[in-house]
Amino acid sequence: MEEPGQLKRALIDATAGAISGGIARTLTSPLDVIKIRFQVQLEPTSLWALDGRKLKGKSKYTGMLQATKDIFREEGFRGFWRGNVPALLMVMPYNAIQFTVLHKLKTLAAGSSRTADHINLSPYLSYISGALAGCAATFGTYPFDPLRTILASQGEPKVYPTMRAAFLDIVRTRGFSGLYAGLSPTLVEIIPYAGMHFGTYDTFKRWIMAWNHHRSSNLGSTAVDDSPSSFQLVLCGLAASTCAKAVSHPLDVVKKRFQTESWAGLYKGIVPSIVKAAPHGAITFVVYEYTSDCNSLYII
């Protein structure tokens, strides 16, 4: 099949990235809200920590189940999607930029625009391409991140009823530079996260393809097919996202909190963070893989 031109290929990657990001973000929004509530809470977020410090009853959120019940009781179902609009405004263009830049970098490294050739890149190039793509996307969409964090972290009564109110208050009190608060730790976080996210995904995908090839050969199949199934792509996405989030989560907390913490404090919210990141990554990769297929898009 003839490969599309550079402009059409970029449009395909941007569209597939935006769609995959939007679907994954909306489906995992409740977990993101819980994660942010944990990260911005000053008190411990587990019962064992409260007992150890004799602070029982001082923390608002002390576990995922308890947090889920409290948010639902106080804010209803809508509370789990608080901050989802600015998050979508960030995630959709973020993924569009990220996957477009990623494909371009892999094309330069592989000397071919065919996606099938990109899987054969060395792991180092996969990690570097992912890190650079993440940095480019972060620069392009960052102002929506503090808005998302502010809206998702507030409970009842709300300080900011709308995204516009939050935006105007930030600009009035801190200037436009306030929209880029936390950019430096975000970039420090995104380099290992995006690098591991895409690098490990490609690694797991190569392993799956090698295993499929080996299995087809042993079965005596005349047409050896090593293409990963949807379920196998989900597994690759889950594994890659879990590894990336486990490594970069402390930096995410630093970005959210801007304060010195103990090592344990840096992992505050790690459970909901991984529980959210794993399905989010799996959904993103699977939807992108299928949406970016040139046969499934009819772009004139």
Side-chain angles (χ1 to χ4, degrees):
M1 182 180 68
E2 184 181 353
E3 281 293 298
Q6 292 186 16
L7 181 60
K8 187 175 180 180
R9 179 70 249 184
L11 187 56
I12 290 172
D13 290 326
T15 303
I19 292 174
S20 63
I23 292 174
R25 179 59 183 76
T26 300
L27 292 178
T28 60
S29 177
L31 296 168
D32 193 54
V33 169
I34 294 173
K35 180 199 75 170
I36 291 176
R37 299 287 176 92
F38 276 30
Q39 289 178 329
V40 300
Q41 178 174 285
L42 293 174
E43 298 79 15
T45 57
S46 61
L47 289 174
W48 65 266
L50 285 169
D51 291 337
R53 300 186 191 180
K54 295 181 172 56
L55 295 172
K56 194 166 185 177
K58 297 293 185 180
S59 292
K60 182 174 178 60
Y61 302 117
T62 57
M64 286 191 64
L65 182 59
Q66 179 270 334
T68 300
K69 291 179 179 178
D70 271 17
I71 293 172
F72 176 71
R73 185 182 67 253
E74 297 173 0
E75 306 166 45
F77 277 114
R78 294 183 63 181
F80 292 107
W81 277 268
R82 183 161 288 174
N84 193 50
V85 172
L88 287 176
L89 292 175
M90 178 186 74
V91 170
M92 294 183 72
Y94 181 96
N95 266 28
I97 295 171
Q98 183 171 237
F99 280 103
T100 301
V101 173
L102 181 70
H103 190 275
K104 184 63 177 178
L105 290 172
K106 286 186 173 182
T107 296
L108 292 173
S112 169
S113 63
R114 295 179 67 251
T115 304
D117 294 332
H118 295 174
I119 198 64
N120 297 319
L121 287 174
S122 71
Y124 301 106
L125 290 175
S126 292
Y127 282 88
I128 293 172
S129 297
L132 292 176
C135 287
T138 299
F139 271 117
T141 62
Y142 188 78
F144 291 107
D145 193 32
L147 289 174
R148 188 256 318 204
T149 300
I150 289 172
L151 293 178
S153 63
Q154 62 180 359
E156 292 291 347
K158 292 187 290 187
V159 178
Y160 302 110
T162 63
M163 181 175 66
R164 181 175 180 273
F167 173 81
L168 292 176
D169 186 63
I170 291 174
V171 173
R172 183 176 64 253
T173 58
R174 291 184 279 173
F176 282 100
S177 62
L179 295 173
Y180 286 88
L183 178 60
S184 296
T186 298
L187 290 175
V188 173
E189 172 206 359
I190 206 64
I191 290 173
Y193 177 76
M196 286 200 67
H197 199 209
F198 289 104
T200 54
Y201 178 77
D202 286 348
T203 298
F204 288 131
K205 189 176 177 182
R206 277 193 292 269
W207 290 348
I208 288 291
M209 292 175 67
W211 186 79
N212 287 346
H213 184 88
H214 178 72
R215 185 181 61 174
S216 297
S217 299
N218 288 344
L219 292 175
S221 175
T222 54
V224 177
D225 182 19
D226 59 3
S227 300
S229 65
S230 297
F231 178 70
Q232 289 175 329
L233 290 175
V234 168
L235 292 180
C236 290
L238 285 171
S241 299
T242 300
C243 292
K245 180 55 67 175
V247 169
S248 66
H249 183 76
L251 296 170
D252 190 35
V253 176
V254 170
K255 178 184 72 175
K256 297 289 193 301
R257 295 289 298 274
F258 281 107
Q259 61 180 218
T260 303
E261 300 201 23
S262 65
W263 285 107
L266 292 178
Y267 276 89
K268 185 172 286 185
I270 183 64
V271 174
S273 184
I274 287 181
V275 171
K276 176 254 179 180
H280 184 281
I283 295 168
T284 298
F285 279 121
V286 172
V287 175
Y288 175 79
E289 291 273 3
Y290 282 96
T291 313
S292 65
D293 188 336
C294 296
N295 291 323
S296 65
L297 291 176
Y298 298 90
I299 301 175
I300 299 177

